[in-house]
Each structure stands twice: as C-alpha cells, then as structure tokens.
Amino acid sequence: MKKIFCIAAATALSLSACSGADNATPGSDSSDPGEKGYDVSKIQKDDKVAALVPQEISKRDLLRSVASADYAPAEYLKIDGQTPTGYDIDLVNAMAKVMGLKGGNTKHAAFDSIIPQIGSKFDLSLSSFSITPQREKEVNMISYVQVGSAFGTAKGNPNKFDPSNPCGKTIGVQKGTFQYDYVETLSDKCAAEGKEKIKVKPHDLQTEIAPKVAGKQYDATFADSTVIGYTVKKSNGSIEQIGDVLKASPQGIIINKKDEALTKAVQAAMQSLMDSGELKKILAHYGADKAGLSKAEINPAVSD
C-alpha cells in the first residue's frame, strides 16, 4: 500500500509490509466503523502530559494534524467524501484529550506533501508512515503501531487454504500493492518447482475482493494486516484472518525535527494511551487491535 516503501526479498514468506499505488477502502455504508469513529469524550487529561505541551499549542487549545485520507482503516473519508476518519484521526483526538486540549483537527493532504508542512502549518501527522532511517533524518518519529501482511479466508477456511503452500490456489489482491507483486513472485516460484501457479485475481479496491472471498469464489485474499482486520470487521464474521501477521514493521507519528518539546509531549501522550488501554480500544474499533504497540519510542532503531 502506498504509505510504506521498501524492497522485499523474493523468497517464500519473507515479507515486509510495503506499498504500491493506492489502498483506498472507503466507508461504504453507515455501519462502517469510521462513520461514528471512536468516542474519545471520556478520556481524561493527564496532568503530567499536559505539563509538557508547548505553550503555543496550549494557548491555541488545538492539536493540528494532517493525513492522506485514502488508506482505510487508518485514515480515509466518510461517506460524505470530505470528512477524514479512521484510527489515526481518532488517535489525534485522543492525544489532544490526554494533553488537556479542547480537541484535535486532521486535514487531508497528498501523502508526499505532508512532511514539508510539519512544524509550520501542522503540528504532527499520523498517516501510516513506516519508520525508516531515511525518514528519521528528516523528522522525529514516535512508534505506536506495527503493520505487516496477512491472509484472509472465508470463515472456517472452507477451501482449505494453507498460507505456507498457496500453489494452485486463487488469491485476490489489490493492484499496485506489495502484496500483488509478492503473490506474483510466489506464483512464479510455484511454477519453477513444478507446481500449479497461483491464480492471481487483481482488483482496484480491497472492498471488491471481500465478497468473492466470503462467497468462496476466491480461496483467500492477501493485504496489509490492518486492512485484513478491517475487512474482517466489516464482513460481520464471514471472513477471518488465517495464519500470523508476517514481518510486521513499525509505523510512527511524525513531528518537526527541531521541536523537541512537542516530541516529548506527544510521546508521553501516546504512552499514556498505551498504558490505559485506550490505544488498543481505538484500534479494535477498526479491527486493528493486534497492531498496537506497548511502548512509544522516539526514533527507534530500524533497518532499511
């Protein structure tokens, strides 16, 4: 999906969550978890965290964020096509509550335009940024979730899909994603070993794939682990994840490199949400609770 950039080794199940074109999975009806979002109204101010908030932000009483709202369930648009929603938007609002602020406000912007605007137009961004050494040179990054890749099947796995042996199976994937490229690579590997190739079924949107998996037309789908969790949540039990999340890598909140005070305040706010269990509750609202980390680290050591 388009928020993460890396090169993956083409060996069986040696996965790294990477992005290609677009992973827009917009809310399609009023039952979508993003239409109401997570209710942060009961989250309490943490006095120790509030004491760390820079005076300028305390005086403004608003935490300004920006996200590329095309990546459900992290950040996407509601049915109205204008209002950002998703767990990253809810987390901004939750951190604002912990900081003792009136609230948070997330605007939509093109993904590649976000970093230059941090520290001037916006205070921070939660927009599914994979933590990389290159990005840590540009901005401060605070870890809060980790995302890998996962398979989903119809409930009960009626077609007996085995993630360790996908040869000959039919797998639905979104075009332009790492998972699409990887399944193609696995299919070539199957052929090289004298096995039946995978029947790869590409689609523009993940939402197009889910009904075919639930209806047993496809044996499985393969996507980011949070996307699979969201798909499971929206399927009302007709789809389930099978196997483990593969090669998860951390994602981070980004803050201007020069803003040490805000960086420490945001780290403390996210750690407070982790310690209280609110982070996982917010993620669970979107079927992504397994992605939550337990420690918010500033610029954690990561490999390329």
Side-chain angles (χ1 to χ4, degrees):
M1 302 19 164
K2 77 181 184 60
K3 306 301 178 74
I4 308 167
F5 304 90
C6 66
I7 298 174
T11 54
L13 300 182
S14 173
L15 300 176
S16 198
C18 300
S19 308
D22 182 22
N23 189 43
T25 335
S28 57
D29 55 59
S30 59
S31 66
D32 186 277
E35 284 303 306
K36 290 186 177 180
Y38 181 83
D39 182 6
V40 303
S41 63
K42 295 182 180 180
I43 295 177
Q44 299 296 310
K45 173 184 175 182
D46 186 321
D47 291 334
K48 291 182 179 179
V49 175
L52 298 173
V53 178
Q55 186 175 0
E56 178 187 351
I57 294 177
S58 294
K59 186 175 181 180
R60 188 198 311 136
D61 210 19
L62 183 70
L63 192 60
R64 304 172 306 175
S65 183
V66 57
S68 179
D70 56 7
Y71 187 63
E75 51 271 332
Y76 57 111
L77 297 176
K78 292 186 177 183
I79 293 173
D80 64 16
Q82 298 179 346
T83 308
T85 188
Y87 63 72
D88 276 345
I89 281 71
D90 291 344
L91 284 171
V92 171
N93 299 332
M95 287 193 297
K97 294 284 288 184
V98 171
M99 290 174 165
L101 303 176
K102 184 177 180 179
N105 188 356
T106 300
K107 300 291 187 181
H108 167 71
F111 186 70
D112 59 4
S113 75
I114 290 176
I115 288 180
Q117 300 184 79
I118 300 302
S120 54
K121 188 174 181 179
F122 301 104
D123 302 315
L124 76 172
S125 176
L126 282 75
S127 193
S128 302
F129 279 95
S130 181
I131 299 177
T132 67
Q134 293 81 6
R135 285 192 178 132
E136 289 181 336
K137 292 177 183 178
E138 293 184 81
V139 291
N140 285 332
M141 304 196 76
I142 300 169
S143 57
Y144 66 110
V145 295
Q146 59 179 11
V147 178
S149 296
F151 288 99
T153 67
K155 185 178 180 180
N157 193 14
N159 293 347
K160 307 301 180 186
F161 178 78
D162 180 357
S164 67
N165 182 26
C167 300
K169 295 296 186 179
T170 302
I171 302 176
V173 287
Q174 188 177 354
K175 295 176 183 176
T177 63
F178 159 74
Q179 286 84 6
Y180 172 79
D181 292 338
Y182 192 79
V183 170
E184 287 280 10
T185 299
L186 286 182
S187 183
D188 291 341
K189 185 175 185 294
C190 290
E193 294 175 350
K195 301 176 182 178
E196 186 180 354
K197 295 188 72 171
I198 295 170
K199 300 177 184 69
V200 183
K201 300 293 184 179
H203 287 262
D204 290 326
L205 297 174
Q206 186 68 21
T207 46
E208 298 172 350
I209 301 171
K212 295 185 180 296
V213 175
K216 306 175 191 176
Q217 293 170 264
Y218 296 171
D219 299 307
T221 182
F222 189 45
D224 274 3
S225 53
T226 48
V227 173
I228 292 297
Y230 175 71
T231 301
V232 170
K233 180 92 174 180
K234 288 199 67 178
S235 76
N236 295 317
S238 63
I239 292 175
E240 64 182 39
Q241 180 180 319
I242 184 168
D244 297 328
V245 174
L246 305 168
K247 294 291 184 180
S249 59
Q251 294 179 353
I253 304 165
I254 66 168
I255 302 167
N256 188 279
K257 197 74 174 173
K258 297 179 181 179
D259 201 337
E260 183 177 348
L262 181 58
T263 299
K264 290 181 178 179
V266 171
Q267 179 197 30
M270 180 53 69
Q271 189 62 56
S272 178
L273 293 175
M274 290 174 173
D275 294 343
S276 68
E278 290 292 345
L279 170 64
K280 288 207 170 183
K281 289 179 182 178
I282 291 170
L283 294 173
H285 184 73
Y286 297 88
D289 48 303
K290 293 179 182 178
L293 294 174
S294 60
K295 186 175 181 181
E297 295 184 82
I298 299 173
N299 298 327
V302 292
S303 58
D304 288 312

